[in-house]
Amino acid sequence: MDMITTTDELAAACERLAGHRFITIDTEFLRETTFWPKLCVIQLASPDEAVVIDALADGMDLAPFFTLMSNVDVLKVFHAGRQDIEIIWHLAGIIPHPVFDTQVAAMVLGHGDSISYDQLVQRLTGHVLDKSLRFTDWSRRPLSVAQIAYAEADVTHLRDVFLKLEADLDKRGRADWVGEEMAVLTSPDTYRQEPARAWERLRTRARKPKDLAVLMEVAAWREREAQARDIPRSRILKDDVIGEIASQHPATVERLAQLRSIPKGFERSRSGEQIIEAVKAGLERDPRTLPRIERDRPLSNGASATVELLKVLLRMTSEQHGVAAKVLATVDDLERIASDEEPDIAALRGWRRELFGERALALKAGRLALAMQKGRVIALDRPGD
């Protein structure tokens, strides 16, 4: 098939696609050498057709595509769609809505943790996808017939996967479960890359308030530089370097040069001077305005044993109800349940609480017991004292 290479062709295709209940979406992009993903190809499919769009074509205006993404009457179906949605957010400042993520739905239906697209297609449809072009350079033109066919297959098979998952969700009464999970995918907070919050990715590297203050300023500087120059963060400064700067807080370029992780001569660059200014700004911050440093608390012997029991309960619940354990609760969730009275975590809210959370609290309180029966773990309600 030929690719769409003009805005008029794109507008006509999007108008046709807008007449359907749902469409499937995928993108091909590059990000190895840039901060922002470089969109190269867009694939869209309805029950009637599939189109492949050359996002790099001369004169291409993607406005019709963004209008389609904003159409609330059309369900947008992705597989592991976070990066695809991030691209749309960055380019147009919009988030597609409503959305359906087949990877999330697959986990809710017990197909395992973070199942890949090709595995899900094979399991649900029997088709074996050719993934030999997975790491192709999608920015080079012209694209081959094989590349275009590969791109198209990603959205045509997604139609069948979606319909099977949707039917299974309706049959098992779990459509609302997926709907709750889509709230994260459709929240702007998921995609905002605010320099002032860049430190949150590195918070574990700060041990003292002064370290945290410096970490916040240097991380924000790196984020601004990476975005402005459109290059990966690590090309500006690696995480380990920021960690050492935060712990040593050098106030002069001479002190910066003495850090083991700093390349020779770096301190004499414009970046070196800016880092020193960031360090000074951090040291001048009022400690009372800093976020609280969350420290890992060692679990007591009793809590550690409780976590192990909760893991067994989680596995049992996952197998019993056909839901991926990762969707029900994380290890951190289990540790919080074991250590805190009733922590504010996802495992204790909504359908997760109904399926697992209540039983987890009952196990911790001694109102539930685990036992073996015919080689299987079962849960038994314990009578009150």
Side-chain angles (χ1 to χ4, degrees):
M1 65 176 292
D2 294 329
M3 282 202 303
I4 288 177
T5 58
T6 70
T7 304
D8 288 343
E9 292 173 332
L10 175 61
C14 289
E15 185 175 356
R16 295 192 304 271
L17 293 166
H20 293 272
R21 176 176 72 91
F22 76 91
I23 57 173
T24 55
I25 308 161
D26 191 29
T27 65
E28 307 297 344
F29 58 90
L30 298 178
R31 200 172 195 167
E32 288 78 6
T33 61
T34 60
F35 181 90
W36 305 109
K38 180 181 180 181
L39 179 60
C40 301
V41 178
I42 304 169
Q43 305 100 281
L44 303 171
S46 71
D48 290 346
E49 67 174 315
V51 296
V52 179
I53 302 155
D54 185 356
L56 299 179
D58 290 341
M60 174 65 78
D61 183 351
L62 296 177
F65 168 68
F66 296 134
T67 298
L68 179 61
M69 292 299 97
S70 300
N71 188 335
V72 296
D73 294 324
V74 181
L75 179 65
K76 295 86 178 172
V77 179
F78 299 86
H79 181 84
R82 183 163 178 162
Q83 291 192 86
D84 303 306
I85 296 173
E86 180 191 10
I87 291 172
I88 297 168
W89 166 260
H90 171 61
L91 293 177
I94 61 171
I95 292 180
H97 185 79
V99 302
F100 183 100
D101 193 306
T102 55
Q103 187 179 71
V104 174
M107 289 192 286
V108 165
L109 292 169
H111 291 285
D113 295 345
S114 304
I115 188 171
S116 68
Y117 177 63
D118 53 324
Q119 290 175 326
L120 189 59
V121 168
Q122 184 172 1
R123 182 175 298 180
L124 295 184
T125 72
H127 291 287
V128 179
L129 298 183
D130 177 9
K131 304 302 289 184
S132 59
L133 295 175
R134 180 178 299 180
F135 301 109
T136 193
D137 185 350
W138 292 99
S139 67
R140 291 188 177 182
R141 297 293 182 270
L143 293 178
S144 67
V145 173
Q147 285 176 304
I148 298 173
Y150 172 95
E152 181 189 7
D154 275 347
V155 286
T156 53
H157 291 295
L158 189 56
R159 295 181 300 204
D160 299 328
V161 167
F162 163 67
L163 291 172
K164 288 181 179 295
L165 292 174
E166 183 184 48
D168 198 7
L169 287 168
D170 289 341
K171 179 181 178 181
R172 298 164 69 176
R174 297 183 180 181
D176 290 344
W177 296 10
V178 176
E180 288 183 28
E181 299 310 298
M182 294 305 99
V184 175
L185 274 181
T186 56
S187 170
D189 288 339
T190 302
Y191 308 100
R192 289 192 178 107
Q193 304 276 5
E194 298 176 357
R197 296 180 57 185
W199 67 274
E200 294 175 357
R201 298 176 58 254
L202 307 166
R203 67 172 72 212
T204 58
R205 298 173 186 268
R207 300 298 178 187
K208 299 179 292 187
K210 187 180 293 186
D211 298 350
L212 178 60
V214 173
L215 178 77
M216 293 174 70
E217 293 291 341
V218 176
W221 168 82
R222 182 181 69 169
E223 195 77 2
R224 290 191 296 269
E225 284 287 297
Q227 292 186 18
R229 294 161 59 181
D230 194 19
I231 58 178
R233 296 180 183 93
S234 60
R235 296 275 185 95
I236 303 292
L237 213 60
K238 295 186 181 300
D239 290 352
D240 289 344
V241 181
I242 293 182
E244 187 176 8
I245 292 171
S247 64
Q248 300 297 320
H249 26 83
T252 65
V253 292
E254 290 77 19
R255 284 282 296 117
L256 183 65
Q258 294 173 11
L259 300 186
R260 187 163 51 182
S261 60
I262 293 292
K264 186 177 181 179
F266 179 85
E267 76 282 356
R268 296 192 297 271
S269 67
R270 180 180 67 91
S271 294
E273 295 175 355
Q274 292 175 340
I275 289 173
I276 295 302
E277 292 303 314
V279 170
K280 291 179 179 178
L283 295 174
E284 292 171 357
R285 293 188 66 147
D286 184 348
R288 293 172 296 182
T289 66
L290 298 175
R292 181 180 177 183
I293 298 177
E294 297 290 340
R295 302 189 185 280
D296 294 334
R297 294 177 298 174
L299 294 174
S300 66
N301 291 336
S304 295
T306 302
V307 169
E308 295 306 313
L309 288 174
L310 289 171
K311 287 180 180 179
V312 176
L313 178 65
L314 177 62
R315 177 73 177 270
M316 186 196 76
T317 306
S318 170
E319 293 175 352
Q320 179 182 354
H321 294 279
V323 182
K326 180 180 177 180
V327 175
L328 288 171
T330 65
V331 173
D332 183 62
D333 288 339
L334 301 185
E335 291 180 351
R336 293 281 302 280
I337 292 172
S339 302
D340 301 343
E341 187 66 27
E342 188 164 335
D344 183 17
I345 56 176
L348 295 180
R349 294 195 295 267
W351 64 270
R352 289 183 178 84
R353 181 171 187 128
E354 180 181 343
L355 213 63
F356 171 73
E358 287 290 355
R359 302 177 90 188
L361 293 173
L363 180 64
K364 174 187 173 182
R367 300 191 306 273
L368 190 74
L370 299 178
M372 294 295 298
Q373 185 179 77
K374 296 180 180 179
R376 298 181 59 189
V377 178
I378 61 170
L380 301 173
D381 291 324
R382 297 183 62 187
D385 295 333

